[in-house]
Amino acid sequence: MAISLLNGRSRLRRTRTVSSAGGRKHTPESKKRGSNEEYTQMPSIACNALILATVASGVVVSAPAAAQNEQFIPILSYRTGPYAVNGAPYANGVVDYYNLINERDGGINGVKILVEECETGYATDKGVECYERLKSKGPTGAAFINPLSTGITFALTEKTATDKIPIITMGYGRADSKNGAVFPYNFPLLGTYWSAADIAIQHVAKELGGFDKLKGKKISLLYHDSPYGKEPIPMLQVLAQKYGFEFTPIPVTHPGVEQKSQWLAIRQNRPDYVLVWGWGVMNSTAVKEAAAVAYPREKMIGVWWSGAEPDVTPAGDQAIGYKSLMLQHGAGKFPVHADIEKYVYAKGKGSTDSGKVGEVLYNRGVVNAMLGVEAIRKAQEKFGQKPLTGEQVRWGLENLNLSEARIKELGFDGMLKPIKISCSDHEGTRDGRVQQWDGKSWKIISDWYTADEPLIDPLVRDVSAKYAADKKAQPRECSKES
């Protein structure tokens, strides 16, 4: 096994072993780290960097003397602690897609993907440390960063702009960063939390029989008390004022295993709907506590990060009826999965059990990796088929235009709708659906919703303008960008 020579490597290998087939298995020691204490008492970054670095894995090793025709992509992940139930399957999807590109295509137009994975535990300070350690690796530095954390996103926004490294926050992050004129290096692809909030209220209105039926209703937001959970609040306040419903935000302290007082308050207030903005163990705990106070699960709607298999299966039959938004895709297998199984898993190079391929968060990781790869491919059209800098990849992201035909060619037909990014719109698309858990699987129960951009954009402009003024940043003139 070839890996980069980092301090603390032997301790890393005790934390995670690599199977002979190239998949990762947790040792008894690593399983013990799935506790709340792990989140607050993480070891040093040198001992937590998880290296995707075996020849058998298919993804090129991050090594001190990296070859010059490799594109470096750091992976910030969390496979330990109370958020690992969601973080690990997502990371597996990312890794498998990068493996697919290397194994099937020989890289991106011949440029192999070089990766290194760093464990953040969903902790902002660890995320910043991972970024600082990995940003300059590879022949041209990091192509982009995927923090998988809104808190880390807030902490890195200025750093990445200074370093000229794009930060991809697909379905999360700063909602105001849709405005690429102010946030040139932030890309909240596919949907922001303000779009999600609007889609959720659209679905509630549909169930009630129209937007006029929202007036006088009670809608609560049970949210993770972090930048992630707080992000939809401004939009929900706008929607409450527009439609006349009573909005009540209810915070839940990290990691979310203690919710009894919140659900007692919900039982007393009797809201018509409860929106859930949770992550990790908070989600399944919310479903269980709702059952304990007899709150109808069909009146709960989770954001798209609160709608995966680990969010409902721990609650058993108590989860039946629970709903969530979909970040376009859901669970299931599509043409891209056939290629992953053929070129990655059939060769023993998969990152998880084959039965997990096609689950919601695995699919999200695959989609995220694909968008990053296509941005690099787009940038190669302008800058050449070679390893690119973050600044060059930023151009590729801002000019990304995936048509229906291209999405089908990539094997994502049925998972995604077309997406077109521009200087003024770093979100690209804002469509979603709603799914419901039937006790065995997720079932799509709605048609497509499109977030109300004319309603959301004034908030985007106001908040992003305030950010620019506070930071004394001059917004770009998008009409002059090319």
Side-chain angles (χ1 to χ4, degrees):
M1 180 173 69
I3 69 175
S4 61
L5 300 176
L6 297 178
N7 293 332
R9 182 180 65 174
S10 62
R11 291 181 62 186
L12 271 175
R13 295 184 66 182
R14 288 198 297 271
T15 301
R16 168 157 301 141
T17 60
V18 182
S19 70
S20 59
R24 287 185 270 305
K25 296 181 179 178
H26 293 282
T27 64
E29 178 185 354
S30 68
K31 290 180 180 178
K32 291 177 183 177
R33 290 178 175 165
S35 64
N36 298 342
E37 183 178 314
E38 170 64 17
Y39 180 84
T40 56
Q41 297 182 359
M42 306 258 321
S44 67
I45 283 296
C47 295
N48 263 299
L50 303 179
I51 313 303
L52 304 177
T54 64
V55 173
S57 73
V59 180
V60 176
V61 171
S62 174
Q68 292 305 300
N69 197 39
E70 296 167 349
Q71 185 74 61
F72 180 66
I73 304 176
I75 300 177
L76 272 59
S77 62
Y78 30 97
R79 298 179 181 275
T80 62
Y83 303 97
V85 292
N86 295 122
Y90 179 94
N92 291 335
V94 170
V95 172
D96 282 351
Y97 191 78
Y98 291 156
N99 270 332
L100 172 66
I101 297 301
N102 278 352
E103 290 293 314
R104 183 191 64 191
D105 305 338
I108 308 169
N109 291 319
V111 180
K112 286 272 191 168
I113 298 173
L114 172 77
V115 306
E116 185 170 323
E117 185 173 348
C118 189
E119 173 74 27
T120 71
Y122 195 63
T124 297
D125 59 342
K126 302 304 178 186
V128 173
E129 289 180 36
C130 282
Y131 169 76
E132 292 291 350
R133 188 173 64 78
L134 299 179
K135 68 181 183 182
S136 300
K137 291 208 169 187
T140 53
F144 50 75
I145 194 82
N146 279 292
L148 195 56
S149 160
T150 298
I152 298 174
T153 299
F154 271 80
L156 289 181
T157 291
E158 291 180 64
K159 291 177 180 289
T160 53
T162 299
D163 296 334
K164 297 185 177 181
I165 296 174
I167 180 167
I168 299 176
T169 58
M170 190 187 82
Y172 66 97
R174 303 182 64 115
D176 56 344
S177 68
K178 171 185 182 288
N179 184 358
V182 174
F183 297 94
Y185 282 87
N186 289 59
F187 291 86
L189 307 178
L190 298 189
T192 70
Y193 290 141
W194 293 350
S195 292
D198 182 69
I199 290 171
I201 297 303
Q202 286 189 46
H203 185 73
V204 170
K206 183 178 180 180
E207 289 194 347
L208 292 174
F211 284 101
D212 59 312
K213 302 298 192 299
L214 286 168
K215 188 172 183 178
K217 297 298 183 182
K218 296 180 179 181
I219 299 178
S220 294
L221 172 70
L222 186 77
Y223 70 93
H224 190 278
D225 194 7
S226 66
Y228 154 56
K230 296 173 183 177
E231 190 67 7
I233 292 176
M235 191 66 229
L236 287 167
Q237 290 171 332
V238 169
L239 292 163
Q241 184 175 10
K242 178 178 176 64
Y243 297 117
F245 61 83
E246 180 185 319
F247 170 59
T248 304
I250 304 172
V252 175
T253 303
H254 152 81
V257 293
E258 296 294 336
Q259 298 182 34
K260 292 191 181 301
S261 63
Q262 287 89 347
W263 283 98
L264 287 174
I266 288 171
R267 184 173 68 178
Q268 292 172 354
N269 191 42
R270 300 177 62 131
D272 297 282
Y273 283 86
V274 174
L275 307 182
V276 180
W277 240 260
W279 191 228
V281 295
M282 175 181 162
N283 291 329
S284 59
T285 301
V287 174
K288 293 175 185 177
E289 292 295 345
V293 300
Y295 187 83
R297 263 66 75 213
E298 62 270 17
K299 297 298 183 182
M300 299 171 67
I301 303 176
V303 68
W304 41 60
W305 298 107
S306 300
E309 292 80 4
D311 303 325
V312 287
T313 52
D317 289 345
Q318 293 177 329
I320 294 175
Y322 175 80
K323 302 169 186 174
S324 83
L325 305 184
M326 301 167 63
L327 190 61
Q328 297 201 18
H329 69 88
K333 291 186 178 181
F334 299 84
V336 67
H337 295 93
D339 278 358
I340 290 173
E341 289 168 342
K342 177 180 179 180
Y343 292 97
V344 180
Y345 281 80
K347 297 180 179 181
K349 299 177 181 180
S351 61
T352 186
D353 295 333
S354 59
K356 299 292 185 181
V357 173
E359 290 189 347
V360 172
L361 290 173
Y362 178 92
N363 284 355
R364 192 158 305 160
V366 170
V367 170
N368 184 282
M370 179 273 285
L371 292 174
V373 167
E374 290 308 299
I376 293 171
R377 197 186 309 275
K378 180 65 179 179
Q380 287 180 343
E381 293 177 10
K382 180 174 183 177
F383 301 105
Q385 296 178 6
K386 60 184 180 181
L388 304 177
T389 65
E391 186 175 12
Q392 292 169 330
V393 174
R394 190 209 69 80
W395 183 92
L397 278 161
E398 192 160 89
N399 289 274
L400 186 64
N401 184 5
L402 297 182
S403 65
E404 186 175 348
R406 178 56 178 163
I407 288 170
K408 184 175 182 178
E409 183 181 7
L410 291 168
F412 288 80
D413 187 33
M415 292 180 76
L416 290 176
K417 300 182 79 171
I419 177 172
K420 185 179 186 334
I421 307 300
S422 67
C423 170
S424 60
D425 181 10
H426 277 196
E427 186 179 17
T429 183
R430 47 205 58 84
D431 299 314
R433 293 177 285 181
V434 177
Q435 62 184 2
Q436 186 170 34
W437 183 251
D438 69 0
K440 295 180 180 179
S441 62
W442 292 104
K443 303 297 183 185
I444 300 173
I445 62 169
S446 80
D447 201 348
W448 289 95
Y449 294 104
T450 299
D452 189 346
E453 197 170 9
L455 180 65
I456 297 170
D457 270 357
L459 186 61
V460 171
R461 286 195 300 269
D462 290 347
V463 177
S464 61
K466 184 179 184 304
Y467 174 88
D470 289 345
K471 302 299 179 182
K472 295 181 173 55
Q474 179 62 44
R476 295 184 294 162
E477 293 185 43
C478 286
S479 61
K480 297 182 179 179
E481 294 291 321
S482 62

